[in-house]
Amino acid sequence: ATMFGIVDRLLLTAPEHVQEPDRLRRVMVRQQFAGQTFHQSSLEYPDLVELSELDVFRSVAGWTVSEMTFGYGAQAERVSAGVATASLFPTLGVEPERGRFFGADEDREGSDPVAVVGHEFWRGRLGGDPQVLGRELVVAERSYRVVGVAPPGFTGLGLSRVDLWLPLHVAGPQLFPGMEALPTRESGMRFFWLQVAARLAPGVSTEVVDARVDALHQAVYGSDDRYEGMMLTAPVIAARGPNASAESRVAVWLAGVAFVVLLVACANVANMLLARGVRRRGEIAIRMALGVPRGRLVRQLLAERLLLAVSGSLAALLLADWGGG
């Protein structure tokens, strides 16, 4: 059960709180280099801007997760911060646990810094403070006002815990020391740092989307004779590819091993019950000789087996719940 839960989390189920995952796609670039094919999931900020202008998408979102310093002085600690566009939350279809998510007017250069705290971070580090909305938090030596709490288990499209969500155009430049704004094509600096996801417009197929995003990509990079690559979209469940993680591959093998172990355990229990039945042949014969109905004996044996199955299953579920975390 534990291994099935892991495989389900990695390969079968979309990240928590994501709505209509079949209409949501991740955007990446497939490149050829030295005879090898690899997929790059990080894009440039100008790619995000240009993708947002395509009519094949209902909405486009960009984000990156980085470690930042929370607090100051002796109390400072490293936290996982998701730096994202305001469009991330409506694109995924997620609703806040408390308060609200930051909006487009707060995701602009020069806007007052606001933040959304992760549910686990709020319950743990902030002690579940019921007055958390409006509280000031110091992140990377900058003060952010809390406007909302994310729902339990929300990690965007990744699997790792995210403690804070910050507006991209406000907190993004902090990831580039010495820069006051996000890098543009005019700046001549190329940084591949953003994950991008997009929700398809109604009635648009993935084939049409792939053709449009690649045409956009070729218009920018296709003139370079040294470059060979194309932009495409991929399923929202990252472990399904094209960049399947080592964890997902190992999880599938371990699930197969767990299934074999389950079969061996079932065979062992069946042999033990059979041996126990052989030892009780004399007892059963005496009961029948004393006039105990055959149906009553069958019910007794079934009740014994059911008690064994229920107690074993409860113990197993407790172990699976503990190990599944």
Side-chain angles (χ1 to χ4, degrees), residues 155-175:
T155 57
L157 291 185
L159 295 175
S160 300
R161 168 176 159 174
V162 179
D163 299 313
L164 302 165
W165 292 97
L166 309 175
L168 180 73
H169 293 85
V170 176
Q174 292 181 273
L175 303 178

Side-chain angles (χ1 to χ4, degrees), residues 100-123:
R100 60 178 177 81
F101 293 126
F102 48 81
D105 56 332
E106 294 164 316
D107 183 26
R108 293 176 180 171
E109 295 178 13
S111 298
D112 292 333
V114 296
V116 173
V117 297
H119 188 272
E120 290 73 17
F121 183 78
W122 169 61
R123 298 290 295 179

